[in-house]
Amino acid sequence: MTTQAPPRRFGTMPAAEILARARALTERPAPVPDPDRLAGERAVFEKRTTRSAALAETARSRIGGGTGHVDALTTPYPLFMDRGAGGTVTDVDGNTYVDCILAGGAISLGHNHQRLNRAVQEVVATRTGFHGHLDEYELRTADAICAMFPAAEAVRFTASGAEANLAAVRLARAVTGRRRIVKFMGHYHGWGDQFMVDLEVPGSGAFMAGGVPESHYANTVLVHPHRLEDLAAVLRQGDVAAVLSEPLGGESGLVPFNDGFHAEAARLTREHGALYVFDEVVSGTRAGLGGAQSVLGVVPDLFTLGKGLMNGYPGCGVVAGRADVMSAAGTGLPSDGPFAYIGGTMSGNPLSMAAAYHCMAELARPGALDGAIDRAAELVRRLNEVFDASGFGFFAYHLGTVVKIEMTAPHALGADALDHAAEIIHRRMLLADYMIPVGNAGVLSRMGRDMLALEHTTADIEKVVNAYARLVEFLR
């Protein structure tokens, strides 16, 4: 497998501008849809999706909470999908949509990618999906990760990105002999107990930590993502094993870091004997080949990868980094030196490893990722033309193939988020309502927290622009 240089363009809007414009949105009333027009859009949606409606009704009685997928549309009900191809999916009622949700980032190439499918089918024909022994694909995938990501000297496979983050923290504690970890406010690292505090909205605290005893995150220290002085103060107190971050910022750049933050944060972390960890489960190669670590020029001690590595095939996570740290990982009995038990029945299984290896090969094809980033930049440029003319203050930006469309900015209400809980919920509900006319225009968007795949086309981009132009007209 060959790699290529990082993409020409990472993003076009500085973090300071993104933060300022998001804050400005919170200082003005968010546009509220006319109730009659919204009811009309709901009626159109319901008429187009009768089969999904019936299945969703059944799901409410069979599946706890009705759905286990955090990225699916929920208003007025989730859609059930039948098939996908390239940048589109088709629901069980036969409606085709440009898919900008992409399973929360799992689909990096495109739906039903034929070359990848053929490569995986060859493995299915010659191996069981899981045979319980070592497989050469595990080594090939490890070599490919070490060749592509600057920080990777050795890797360890898990069954998901969430598990990879748990493994990273366990490794850090094992090699440092320390207890505490630093988590930046608003960042998401999977649903492990120690991470389920202060998600998405900086300052939200235990709002999303239902069912998690406080003692389970007692050693998780929260630091505001724009206050290096607070990080330095925590590190000076000692007993910090690791500092974790989503390198693009909380929710993959929804709350970006200021320029230069990581270089100084990594320096401070290492100065005080802790490990600096990048959670690249979502960002992966979306920032560019080599990940955000390559584009930002900051090499962490450890980093994690996950779903985007396999284009939607289940299920793989990776913790990787310094060889001396990774050598502590084991599944047998402890020997001399640090030891961290990291295992899993499905970890490193042949199907996941083959999917990861061949997906990485597709991403590394010359010009493939650059082309997708070019289309993300074009989408953002055209969306901002629509938004600038609207007067609503909406704006879009991209970080590689991650596309953010900012409309009500509930996450930007400040570090005292719990004091604004009602307004945050109101603005989130408005975003859910906004997605109804966007969906009726044939586009699936995770309330503007979107991504592009390599196989999204210029025609797909046109459809997304038209859908958001339709939303603007709907809100007038």
Side-chain angles (χ1 to χ4, degrees):
M1 177 180 299
T2 59
T3 61
Q4 63 188 75
R8 299 183 301 278
R9 179 173 53 257
F10 174 48
T12 53
M13 186 176 291
E17 181 180 351
I18 294 167
L19 295 167
R21 293 182 69 166
R23 184 65 182 174
L25 278 172
T26 69
E27 295 170 355
R28 59 192 298 175
V32 177
D34 175 82
D36 292 336
R37 294 189 71 185
L38 181 59
E41 289 293 322
R42 284 178 179 266
V44 170
F45 184 93
E46 291 167 2
K47 184 176 181 180
R48 295 171 61 248
T49 59
T50 55
R51 178 68 175 147
S52 278
L55 291 170
E57 180 64 27
T58 301
R60 280 191 283 272
S61 65
R62 298 288 190 273
I63 298 173
T67 176
H69 305 283
V70 297
D71 300 307
L73 300 181
T74 56
T75 303
Y77 44 78
L79 295 175
F80 282 72
M81 294 302 159
D82 179 63
R83 60 191 181 275
T88 66
V89 289
T90 301
D91 67 19
V92 292
D93 292 282
N95 303 299
T96 296
Y97 307 85
V98 176
D99 181 17
C100 295
I101 300 175
L102 297 175
I107 307 299
S108 51
L109 307 179
H111 291 281
N112 200 22
H113 190 276
Q114 292 303 300
R115 284 192 300 273
L116 179 60
N117 288 351
R118 286 193 294 270
V120 173
Q121 286 163 6
E122 289 180 8
V123 175
V124 174
T126 59
R127 298 163 168 85
T128 60
F130 168 68
H131 54 50
H133 301 279
L134 296 177
D135 189 280
E136 189 175 354
Y137 260 118
E138 194 170 353
L139 296 180
R140 294 171 71 183
T141 304
D143 284 343
I145 291 169
C146 289
M148 185 175 284
F149 292 87
E153 296 177 356
V155 307
R156 187 84 176 189
F157 294 107
T158 64
S160 70
E163 287 186 13
N165 284 324
L166 293 172
V169 167
R170 184 171 293 181
L171 280 166
R173 285 175 167 146
V175 300
T176 64
R178 299 174 176 185
R179 294 175 302 150
R180 300 197 301 165
I181 60 170
V182 170
K183 175 187 178 294
F184 290 107
M185 293 178 174
H187 287 217
Y188 180 72
H189 302 294
W191 56 287
D193 283 6
Q194 61 195 311
F195 304 133
M196 287 300 296
V197 58
D198 217 280
L199 306 183
E200 185 179 320
V201 181
S204 57
F207 184 69
M208 297 285 285
V212 181
E214 290 184 21
S215 60
H216 287 205
Y217 50 84
N219 289 313
T220 301
V221 182
L222 300 174
V223 171
H224 195 282
H226 302 134
R227 298 174 186 164
L228 274 169
E229 65 277 13
D230 290 357
L231 175 61
V234 170
L235 290 168
R236 283 195 296 269
Q237 294 171 10
D239 202 27
V240 173
V243 175
L244 286 80
S245 75
E246 293 184 71
L248 303 186
E251 289 289 308
S252 298
L254 192 68
V255 183
F257 284 101
N258 289 313
D259 294 343
F261 181 95
H262 288 298
E264 181 61 13
R267 186 193 67 77
L268 286 169
T269 299
R270 290 162 182 158
E271 180 181 299
H272 291 278
L275 304 185
Y276 202 61
V277 182
F278 272 178
D279 174 353
E280 299 215 52
V281 169
V282 176
S283 56
T285 57
R286 292 191 173 280
L289 290 179
Q293 57 193 261
S294 180
V295 174
L296 296 171
V298 175
V299 178
D301 298 293
L302 294 175
F303 69 98
T304 58
L305 300 168
K307 50 194 172 184
L309 206 59
M310 297 155 299
N311 199 51
Y313 278 94
C316 175
V318 177
V319 56
R322 284 169 33 193
D324 63 315
V325 176
M326 296 303 303
S327 66
T331 55
L333 296 175
S335 57
D336 293 338
F339 174 80
Y341 187 98
I342 298 170
T345 302
M346 298 302 292
S347 298
N349 73 80
L351 291 186
S352 296
M353 294 296 92
Y357 178 81
H358 290 291
C359 181
M360 293 173 69
E362 293 293 331
L363 288 163
R365 284 178 179 268
L369 192 53
D370 276 345
I373 294 174
D374 285 343
R375 286 186 288 280
E378 177 65 9
L379 173 60
V380 163
R381 183 188 68 79
R382 294 191 57 195
L383 285 173
N384 281 330
E385 288 178 351
V386 172
F387 294 152
D388 289 347
S390 74
F392 289 141
F394 297 174
F395 66 98
Y397 60 97
H398 79 102
L399 302 167
T401 61
V402 176
V403 175
K404 300 296 186 187
I405 302 169
E406 196 64 88
M407 294 172 285
T408 69
H411 56 279
L413 283 165
D416 53 347
L418 292 181
D419 294 337
H420 302 292
E423 181 66 9
I424 289 170
I425 292 170
H426 168 66
R427 286 173 176 263
R428 282 293 298 268
M429 291 178 68
L430 283 177
L431 286 174
D433 288 341
Y434 290 1
M435 293 302 101
I436 299 174
V438 170
N440 285 341
V443 172
L444 297 182
S445 169
R446 190 192 170 204
M447 297 187 288
R449 302 175 190 185
D450 294 336
M451 303 185 191
L452 294 187
L454 299 193
E455 291 191 337
H456 273 114
T457 66
T458 54
D460 294 333
I461 300 306
E462 183 77 18
K463 196 165 186 177
V464 175
V465 173
N466 290 339
Y468 275 93
R470 184 176 188 270
L471 172 63
V472 166
E473 292 303 316
F474 169 79
L475 292 172
R476 290 189 187 280

